[in-house]
Amino acid sequence: MYQVVRARLRALVCGAGTALRRRARQGLRRDAGMVTSEYAMGIVAAVAFAVVLYKVVTSGAVSAELQGIVKRALDARM
């Protein structure tokens, strides 16, 4: 049984490798990366998210709550 499973697995792996090499030779590889415009849009989105997050965290109510949490954590008895 072990030998049968091993033989089938080897055939499957070798067959997959052969298919991938054949596709690469034919020029049918998929596009795996982003183009420059996609990088630019990603950076703009990340900066916008960072600005919104900064504004939320530094707002009065959130800042006071965060300071309260830290103060309670430091004042806790162990």
Side-chain angles (χ1 to χ4, degrees):
M1 172 100 175
Y2 172 75
Q3 293 172 345
V4 173
V5 171
R6 186 174 177 187
R8 286 186 181 176
L9 185 60
R10 181 176 293 167
L12 178 66
V13 170
C14 291
T18 303
L20 288 175
R21 284 190 296 275
R22 187 179 313 127
R23 285 182 70 186
R25 276 182 287 173
Q26 293 173 351
L28 298 175
R29 292 189 307 167
R30 295 180 60 175
D31 200 5
M34 293 193 302
V35 294
T36 305
S37 61
E38 290 173 330
Y39 278 118
M41 292 304 295
I43 290 171
V44 168
V47 169
F49 181 72
V51 168
V52 170
L53 187 61
Y54 176 77
K55 289 291 187 180
V56 168
V57 170
T58 56
S59 68
V62 174
S63 181
E65 282 295 319
L66 288 174
Q67 287 177 359
I69 290 169
V70 171
K71 185 174 181 176
R72 283 192 303 270
L74 293 176
D75 290 339
R77 292 191 176 250
M78 290 190 212

